[in-house]
Amino acid sequence: MNIKMQNRVFILSFLLPAMLIYGIFVIYPILSGLTTSFFQWRGTGAKTWIGFDNYQKLLTDENFINSLMNTFKYTIVQVPIILFLALLFALLITGTKSAKWANFYRSNIFMPFVLPGVAIALLWATIFNPINGLLNIVVRTVGLDGLAHEWLGDPDTAFWAIVWVKTWASIGFYTLLFIAGISNIPKEVLEAADIDGASRLQKSVRVIIPMLSPVVKVVVIFLILNSLKMFEEPQLMTAGGPDRSTEPISLYMYEQAFSNFNFGYASAIGVVFFILTFIFSIFTIKTMGGDSNEEH
């Protein structure tokens, strides 16, 4: 065996365990879900072949269409909000002259991100409780009884309550990404802006933000993918209600599988959502990464 072949075998010996694990826990479930989508199956017993019936049902399923629209609504609303706030906090923290206070702000804003999603959802469900929740208690204590509300029981406020919780929980991660991007900007560039007499706002808008373009692209892609995968917050805070106004497609798929025991239909939902997410992700990556090569 020549040296070139030995190197290939050596490299393959390191890749095989990872490829095996990936195949078992990623590729196999995807193929299994695709196969199951063509059957009627309750999770146990024999499967009944029904062809494309599950996919035809999706076209007329109002609840599926509603959950799909809710998913895209979460994405459209959350992405700009979290993007703006994360960038704002990053600029404020990096602009803090005291290193001690900068570290304090950085630690506190990142803290919610390390908490389990289930714990966060249950915590805020308790805060939004209409009877003894902290939010209504504070509102009544300051004499604004008219503002006390059944926050998670009203379709007009339940959606925004979940958006708030998702923003609070995840903003720290994206803020740190922006802080890392800002710290990589050459100091000479920032010093040149100071010499030219640029104010803090001008330096942020005209120098820092344009140079953060690669980080912005990464953050937007992460935000979109994470918004499409929303599950814990609506599942634990509202169970998709009231009147399915907060139900994303992931929760509807879960309901079909583990409440209705319709695993074939749930698999069809998963396949369609996987295809839509894949297309949406590729489009986003192509759009955000579509910079033309410039000569410098």
Side-chain angles (χ1 to χ4, degrees):
M1 185 182 295
N2 57 38
I3 296 178
K4 188 174 182 180
M5 182 61 68
Q6 288 178 344
N7 290 337
R8 289 180 178 178
V9 172
F10 181 74
I11 294 172
L12 189 61
S13 65
F14 282 96
L15 292 178
L16 273 177
M19 293 172 62
L20 182 62
I21 293 174
Y22 186 81
I24 293 174
F25 293 102
V26 178
I27 301 299
Y28 173 75
I30 292 175
L31 296 177
S32 178
L34 177 61
T35 303
T36 305
S37 67
F38 296 105
F39 291 85
Q40 184 178 5
W41 185 47
R42 295 186 59 81
T44 58
K47 297 180 180 180
T48 303
W49 172 266
I50 58 175
F52 287 92
D53 288 1
N54 284 326
Y55 292 96
Q56 292 176 351
K57 182 180 177 181
L58 288 176
L59 300 176
T60 57
D61 187 348
E62 294 182 357
N63 292 332
F64 167 74
I65 296 173
N66 173 72
S67 66
L68 187 62
M69 292 299 103
N70 284 338
T71 300
F72 288 132
K73 184 179 177 183
Y74 280 123
T75 304
I76 293 171
V77 170
Q78 287 178 167
V79 170
I81 291 176
I82 298 177
L83 178 66
F84 171 77
L85 291 178
L87 181 56
L88 177 63
F89 289 148
L91 291 171
L92 292 175
I93 291 174
T94 54
T96 303
K97 295 182 179 180
S98 171
K100 181 177 69 174
W101 283 108
N103 291 331
F104 173 79
Y105 296 141
R106 187 184 295 111
S107 300
N108 278 273
I109 201 169
F110 185 73
M111 182 181 65
F113 181 75
V114 302
L115 298 176
V118 173
I120 291 174
L122 293 176
L123 169 66
W124 281 98
T126 303
I127 293 175
F128 285 123
N129 187 290
I131 299 175
N132 54 6
L134 179 62
L135 181 57
N136 277 348
I137 290 176
V138 172
V139 167
R140 293 189 181 103
T141 301
V142 298
L144 300 174
D145 297 50
L147 294 180
H149 194 69
E150 190 173 354
W151 304 100
L152 300 179
D154 184 348
D156 294 332
T157 56
F159 174 83
W160 292 104
I162 291 177
V163 169
W164 158 254
V165 173
K166 187 67 174 180
T167 301
W168 179 83
S170 59
I171 196 170
F173 172 71
Y174 301 106
T175 300
L176 286 187
L177 288 182
F178 281 127
I179 290 175
I182 293 173
S183 65
N184 286 328
I185 296 176
K187 293 182 179 180
E188 296 81 4
V189 176
L190 300 178
E191 291 173 355
D194 292 331
I195 293 173
D196 289 340
S199 65
R200 185 174 176 181
L201 178 60
Q202 290 174 328
K203 186 167 64 173
S204 298
V205 173
R206 298 182 180 180
V207 179
I208 297 177
I209 294 178
M211 297 191 72
L212 285 177
S213 177
V215 182
V216 171
K217 295 173 185 177
V218 173
V219 168
V220 169
I221 292 171
F222 278 0
L223 281 172
I224 291 175
L225 294 179
N226 288 329
S227 295
L228 291 172
K229 297 187 299 181
M230 276 194 65
F231 179 78
E232 291 98 340
E233 293 84 2
Q235 199 270 337
L236 294 170
M237 293 177 64
T238 64
D243 195 25
R244 297 186 182 272
S245 61
T246 62
E247 182 179 58
I249 194 171
S250 58
L251 182 54
Y252 184 58
M253 179 172 59
Y254 175 88
E255 174 190 332
Q256 289 297 319
F258 299 104
S259 296
N260 299 342
F261 297 101
N262 195 346
F263 284 86
Y265 189 53
S267 297
I269 295 173
V271 170
V272 171
F273 186 55
F274 173 79
I275 294 173
L276 291 175
T277 303
F278 181 77
I279 295 173
F280 202 76
S281 301
I282 294 299
F283 173 78
T284 303
I285 292 172
K286 292 291 185 182
T287 302
M288 297 298 296
D291 289 339
S292 59
N293 294 326
E294 298 179 359
E295 297 292 336
H296 295 283

